[in-house]
Each structure stands twice: as structure tokens, then as C-alpha cells.
Amino acid sequence: MNYYHNIEGEQISPMVLPTISVRGDDLLALRHTTAPGTHALANLRVDYRPTDTGERAIARDGHSGPGLYACFWDRELFYIGTFAGTGRPTNGNVARERWTRHVAGMTFRGHGVTIGERALHQIAEDAPSALGALLLEADRARLSKTAGMLQTQYATFRFASRHWDDFALLDPAMLARFAFVYLRPSLHGRLAGMDKATLDPHLRAMERGIVALLDPPCNAASTNRDGTPGPGIADTEKTMRQVMDSHLAAVQSDHPDYQLRSRRS
């Protein structure tokens, strides 16, 4: 069997492609917006504007294709997500489609960030905080709007509030403190030619397994509700790879619990 190898020369399962790991300042840029935000400091737009380093990473590894990703602040995990492409699995760019939104939403600095009424009630009952005060002083109707906005939740607020001394001052140089890891299945064997609807439930099953093991503070399914960050990059990547490898092995062996079925069936 032919194996990939990571940068340390260790063998990697052929079912999982080599990991993409990149810093936020290699892919993203910030710009201020003068339009009124959903709170007083919701005044940033996060753009996909890769630097030369980012362009080289994209050319070498690519950010298209289905996979699982992890988001880090100061090299500590805060979110696990899935990307099944746009239109079909091999279309789309995970940095443009997902990571820009996570930086905008998880920091609460994005122009369109919103949070629901239930979470606002919880925030009102919490100990006073700088971010909490901003949200409670905002236009309630605008802040709790959902359609077309950057919807967040109470767990995300707790994470942002924990780091608000930094996020309140967020500038382009601080994008270097964000990092992203992207792990993709190799679409061969029984995975070859699958469509997005068939692939998506498998990615989500792997995501659930990783969230249960790592408890990132910004995932809805996490039990972490105090904003405590998760593990570092190396430990997160190792767990992601183990979960993905185990799941794909079951899929390829036609295990009855992992039949490739469309979510529409």
C-alpha cells in the first residue's frame, strides 16, 4: 500500500490527504466599515486576500475539496467545522467561504454579527463584562436578526468575552494569531465520484466525533460553556486524523453503520 508522509516523515493513511496548516495573515485581511454595525464595535469586514505566502500555500495544497477544519487563536482550538464544497464537493474555497466568517463572528467584530434573544437574556444575567455591555446597549431588534447575518450563540459570546481585551483592538497584524488546519479525505475507492449530498453526512459524523473528544468552545454541540480554549494545533490535528481515518476505513470496508446514502434518501 502506498502511504503519504507528513513533514516528520511519518506514514499517513492513503485515505487522508496531507494536512494544510496556514496562518490567518497569509489568507485574510481586515477593513473598517463606516456602515452602522450591530453593536458599537461591530465595524470590521474580513476579506479573503491571500499574501504571497498564502498564494503559494494554495497553489501547493489547495483549499478546494471536501474536508474538516479547525480554527485556532494563539494556537489554541476554538472551532471545528466541515466544508463539503459549493455546488459540488470539488468546488469552493474553504478560506473564503468559511474562515472569513469565523474570524468575523467568533471575535464579535464582524459588521453583521448577531446573537439571539435567549443568549442576550443569559448575558444580562452574567457578571458584567465589556462585551456584554456593548451587546446589551445595542439595538435589540438589529442584534437578534438572523436572516443573512453572522449568527452566533452564547458559547461564542463566552469565548469572545474571554479574549475581548484583544478582540476589541483587532487589527491586521493580529490576524497572525489565527491559524487554520484543513484535513481532507482522498476521494478514491468507494468515495470516488460521490456528490455533495452523499458526502456531507459523513463529514458531519466525523465532526461530531472530534467535537466530543476535544470540546472546542465555539461549537454548538460542545459541552464547553465557559470559553476555555481547546488543545493546541498538533494534538488537534492528530485527533482529527485519527477520527477521519477510522471513519473512512469503515466506509471503505462497507461497514453497515457507514453506508454511503444521500441525506435526501
Short mmCIF file of all heavy atoms in Angstrom, two decimals, residues 23 25 30 73 169-178:
data_model
loop_
_atom_site.label_atom_id
_atom_site.label_comp_id
_atom_site.label_asym_id
_atom_site.label_seq_id
_atom_site.Cartn_x
_atom_site.Cartn_y
_atom_site.Cartn_z
N ARG A 23 -1.50 30.30 8.56
CA ARG A 23 -1.81 31.41 9.47
C ARG A 23 -2.82 32.35 8.83
O ARG A 23 -2.87 32.52 7.61
CB ARG A 23 -0.56 32.20 9.81
CG ARG A 23 0.35 31.53 10.79
CD ARG A 23 1.47 32.40 11.28
NE ARG A 23 1.74 33.65 10.58
CZ ARG A 23 2.76 34.44 10.85
NH1 ARG A 23 3.61 34.11 11.79
NH2 ARG A 23 2.95 35.55 10.16
N ASP A 25 -2.93 35.60 8.71
CA ASP A 25 -2.43 36.74 7.96
C ASP A 25 -1.93 36.37 6.58
O ASP A 25 -1.68 37.25 5.75
CB ASP A 25 -1.34 37.47 8.75
CG ASP A 25 -0.16 36.58 9.10
OD1 ASP A 25 -0.35 35.35 9.20
OD2 ASP A 25 0.96 37.12 9.27
N LEU A 30 -8.28 42.67 6.98
CA LEU A 30 -9.35 43.39 7.68
C LEU A 30 -9.53 44.76 7.06
O LEU A 30 -8.56 45.39 6.62
CB LEU A 30 -9.00 43.58 9.16
CG LEU A 30 -8.85 42.33 10.02
CD1 LEU A 30 -8.45 42.74 11.44
CD2 LEU A 30 -10.12 41.52 10.04
N TRP A 73 -6.91 30.32 17.91
CA TRP A 73 -6.47 31.64 18.33
C TRP A 73 -5.30 31.44 19.29
O TRP A 73 -5.40 30.70 20.26
CB TRP A 73 -7.59 32.41 19.04
CG TRP A 73 -7.16 33.67 19.72
CD1 TRP A 73 -7.02 33.88 21.06
CD2 TRP A 73 -6.80 34.91 19.09
NE1 TRP A 73 -6.60 35.15 21.31
CE2 TRP A 73 -6.46 35.81 20.12
CE3 TRP A 73 -6.74 35.34 17.75
CZ2 TRP A 73 -6.06 37.12 19.86
CZ3 TRP A 73 -6.33 36.64 17.49
CH2 TRP A 73 -6.01 37.52 18.53
N LEU A 169 -9.41 45.30 20.10
CA LEU A 169 -8.35 46.04 19.41
C LEU A 169 -7.93 45.38 18.10
O LEU A 169 -6.89 45.74 17.53
CB LEU A 169 -7.12 46.15 20.33
CG LEU A 169 -7.35 46.81 21.70
CD1 LEU A 169 -6.09 46.71 22.55
CD2 LEU A 169 -7.81 48.25 21.55
N LEU A 170 -8.70 44.44 17.62
CA LEU A 170 -8.32 43.62 16.47
C LEU A 170 -7.86 44.48 15.30
O LEU A 170 -8.56 45.38 14.85
CB LEU A 170 -9.52 42.76 16.05
CG LEU A 170 -9.23 41.62 15.07
CD1 LEU A 170 -8.29 40.59 15.68
CD2 LEU A 170 -10.55 40.95 14.65
N ASP A 171 -6.65 44.19 14.81
CA ASP A 171 -6.10 44.91 13.66
C ASP A 171 -5.44 43.90 12.73
O ASP A 171 -5.33 42.71 13.06
CB ASP A 171 -5.12 46.00 14.11
CG ASP A 171 -3.90 45.45 14.83
OD1 ASP A 171 -3.54 44.27 14.62
OD2 ASP A 171 -3.29 46.19 15.61
N PRO A 172 -5.02 44.32 11.54
CA PRO A 172 -4.47 43.36 10.57
C PRO A 172 -3.29 42.55 11.11
O PRO A 172 -3.15 41.36 10.79
CB PRO A 172 -4.05 44.25 9.40
CG PRO A 172 -5.01 45.40 9.46
CD PRO A 172 -5.21 45.66 10.92
N ALA A 173 -2.44 43.15 11.93
CA ALA A 173 -1.29 42.42 12.46
C ALA A 173 -1.72 41.26 13.34
O ALA A 173 -1.03 40.23 13.41
CB ALA A 173 -0.39 43.37 13.24
N MET A 174 -2.86 41.40 13.98
CA MET A 174 -3.32 40.35 14.89
C MET A 174 -3.87 39.13 14.15
O MET A 174 -4.11 38.08 14.77
CB MET A 174 -4.36 40.92 15.85
CG MET A 174 -3.77 41.94 16.81
SD MET A 174 -5.01 42.84 17.77
CE MET A 174 -5.53 41.58 18.91
N LEU A 175 -4.08 39.25 12.85
CA LEU A 175 -4.53 38.08 12.08
C LEU A 175 -3.51 36.94 12.15
O LEU A 175 -3.86 35.78 11.95
CB LEU A 175 -4.80 38.47 10.63
CG LEU A 175 -6.03 39.33 10.38
CD1 LEU A 175 -6.09 39.74 8.91
CD2 LEU A 175 -7.31 38.59 10.77
N ALA A 176 -2.25 37.27 12.42
CA ALA A 176 -1.21 36.24 12.54
C ALA A 176 -1.47 35.33 13.73
O ALA A 176 -0.92 34.22 13.80
CB ALA A 176 0.16 36.89 12.68
N ARG A 177 -2.30 35.75 14.67
CA ARG A 177 -2.60 34.94 15.85
C ARG A 177 -3.71 33.93 15.58
O ARG A 177 -3.98 33.07 16.42
CB ARG A 177 -2.96 35.86 17.02
CG ARG A 177 -1.79 36.76 17.41
CD ARG A 177 -2.17 37.83 18.41
NE ARG A 177 -2.54 37.27 19.71
CZ ARG A 177 -2.92 38.03 20.74
NH1 ARG A 177 -2.97 39.35 20.61
NH2 ARG A 177 -3.23 37.46 21.89
N PHE A 178 -4.35 34.03 14.42
CA PHE A 178 -5.29 32.99 13.98
C PHE A 178 -4.53 31.96 13.15
O PHE A 178 -3.59 32.29 12.42
CB PHE A 178 -6.41 33.59 13.12
CG PHE A 178 -7.42 34.38 13.88
CD1 PHE A 178 -7.32 35.76 13.97
CD2 PHE A 178 -8.46 33.75 14.54
CE1 PHE A 178 -8.25 36.50 14.67
CE2 PHE A 178 -9.40 34.47 15.26
CZ PHE A 178 -9.29 35.86 15.32
#
